[in-house]
Amino acid sequence: MHASFADQLAGLDLAGFSIGPAPVSSNDFPVREAIVQTLEAVWSDLFALVSGTALEADAEDLGWAFVNLFHRSAERKSTALDRATDEVRALVATADGSEIHTHELETQVERAQCAEAAMLALEEMREIAASLYLNEFGSSWKPVSSSRFNHGAMLTSALVEGRDFLRARAEAKRRAAMPEGTPVVFAGGRTRHPSEADALTFANNVWATLDKVRDRVPDMVLIHGGDTKGVDRLASSWAERRDIPQVTFSLDMRLGARAGFKRNERMLSLDPRYVVAFPGNGVLERLVIEAKTRRITVVDRRGPLGTSPKSGAHSPN
């Protein structure tokens, strides 16, 4: 949720202190070409190993865990960076001009710079592994309960948990949570199709609809529920392929039957430009009704196989 450490240092009163260059640089970490080659080789060997065996049914779980290794490591470095940054702020606030105090400050700055560089390197490894996951299984990799920030890429491909986004916005730190953009809410339920051809047609309609919306909203930020087994999965995969940032609002199961309606309320609180609606349940119907009440344009695709119903849908076409 933080900006780069260098930006934070620039905002501190460091008069009297001499902060040198970072103790590590990009040359101290594996180069991208080596990372790509190594991870592709490991990925290929892993799935060749389980292919044709009883473990083939668990291949997607293994792939998810493979990406998660780098995600968790990056999160730990991010936590270390936050701690070091807080310590820097505390030392600046209690500056007494002594040599000991100056040394402590410089040490903490170096720790923060090292943690940040390692975090960026691990995030790059995770993104490369996530692209392998996307190509293998056709769906965007999503952590279970945290956001997928990508600080090294200016967050253009961020996949942000809704609670993180709302917390950052409430703290007037929205830019630290994700890039500026125009929210577009996507909603739909879990669907079953009688044939593979119908499923493919439905998926193509989802992608085609989102492409048309993006033509109208080039800076769109995709808002959805993050359901990895429903139509949200198609939308998330589209967003990753198109390099569109995402904010996912998972259900808060502590709310019981009200969870879906509360999620609707949170998504609509972002004042989206469009609500894109595919077939779903009564909670989705309520989302459409509430969006129209707020005069938000609804792109209605609740017809057969994700098409526009006959009874006049509002559309960006």
Side-chain angles (χ1 to χ4, degrees):
M1 301 295 289
H2 47 70
S4 72
F5 182 65
D7 291 340
Q8 294 188 61
L9 280 180
L12 294 175
D13 181 9
L14 295 176
F17 294 103
S18 176
I19 303 300
V24 293
S25 69
S26 58
N27 295 329
D28 295 307
F29 297 96
V31 298
R32 180 178 177 82
E33 292 75 13
I35 296 173
V36 171
Q37 291 177 9
T38 300
L39 294 189
E40 284 181 346
V42 172
W43 185 275
S44 177
D45 289 347
L46 174 63
F47 289 100
L49 177 67
V50 301
S51 179
T53 73
L55 291 178
E56 188 169 6
D58 300 307
E60 186 166 355
D61 287 342
L62 291 173
W64 185 93
F66 181 80
V67 184
N68 197 52
L69 285 172
F70 301 104
H71 178 68
R72 291 295 301 276
S73 295
E75 281 194 322
R76 285 193 289 270
K77 291 300 181 182
S78 178
T79 300
L81 172 57
D82 288 339
R83 286 198 299 264
T85 302
D86 289 341
E87 184 63 24
V88 168
R89 290 197 184 97
L91 287 169
V92 169
T94 59
D96 58 11
S98 68
E99 184 176 341
I100 293 177
H101 188 278
T102 300
H103 176 72
E104 289 180 355
L105 175 61
E106 292 174 348
T107 299
Q108 285 301 327
V109 168
E110 286 191 357
R111 288 177 179 172
Q113 290 172 326
C114 288
E116 182 178 45
M119 177 190 72
L120 294 175
L122 289 165
E123 283 183 347
E124 181 177 34
M125 292 180 180
R126 180 202 60 203
E127 291 304 304
I128 292 170
S131 69
L132 294 172
Y133 181 91
L134 178 64
N135 290 333
E136 182 79 29
F137 302 108
S139 62
S140 176
W141 184 87
K142 179 181 183 296
V144 171
S145 60
S146 61
S147 297
R148 177 179 155 190
F149 291 123
N150 187 8
H151 297 87
M154 298 296 290
L155 300 177
T156 53
S157 59
L159 196 159
V160 185
E161 273 291 323
R163 63 176 179 273
D164 291 339
F165 178 79
L166 290 178
R167 184 184 306 118
R169 194 172 71 155
E171 296 171 355
K173 295 180 181 177
R174 177 173 175 172
R175 290 186 62 188
M178 61 176 294
E180 294 292 336
T182 302
V184 171
V185 170
F186 178 92
R190 299 184 180 184
T191 57
R192 295 193 177 192
H193 303 283
S195 68
E196 186 174 335
D198 283 351
L200 180 59
T201 298
F202 180 80
N204 287 337
N205 285 337
V206 170
W207 280 46
T209 298
L210 289 171
D211 279 336
K212 290 177 181 178
V213 172
R214 188 188 61 165
D215 289 342
R216 287 294 186 91
V217 190
D219 67 337
M220 73 179 287
V221 176
L222 188 67
I223 314 296
H224 61 89
D227 184 2
T228 58
K229 296 183 180 179
V231 70
D232 288 344
R233 178 172 180 166
L234 293 173
S236 184
S237 299
W238 171 87
E240 183 148 344
R241 291 289 191 187
R242 302 291 192 264
D243 203 22
I244 301 296
Q246 306 172 58
V247 177
T248 61
F249 283 81
S250 303
L251 289 172
D252 186 348
M253 303 312 296
R254 296 170 300 179
L255 299 176
R258 297 190 301 112
F261 299 103
K262 185 63 177 178
R263 177 168 64 184
N264 287 352
E265 179 183 325
R266 288 171 175 164
M267 291 194 297
L268 292 178
S269 73
L270 302 179
D271 297 323
R273 172 77 176 276
Y274 294 111
V275 168
V276 182
F278 278 79
N281 56 19
V283 176
L284 183 140
E285 298 297 321
R286 175 50 58 183
L287 174 68
V288 170
I289 292 171
E290 182 61 26
K292 291 180 178 179
T293 300
R294 300 186 185 201
R295 299 186 181 278
I296 298 170
T297 302
V298 175
V299 182
D300 198 337
R301 293 295 184 267
R302 291 176 291 167
L305 298 181
T307 57
S308 177
K310 293 181 180 179
S311 55
H314 299 285
S315 168
N317 293 339

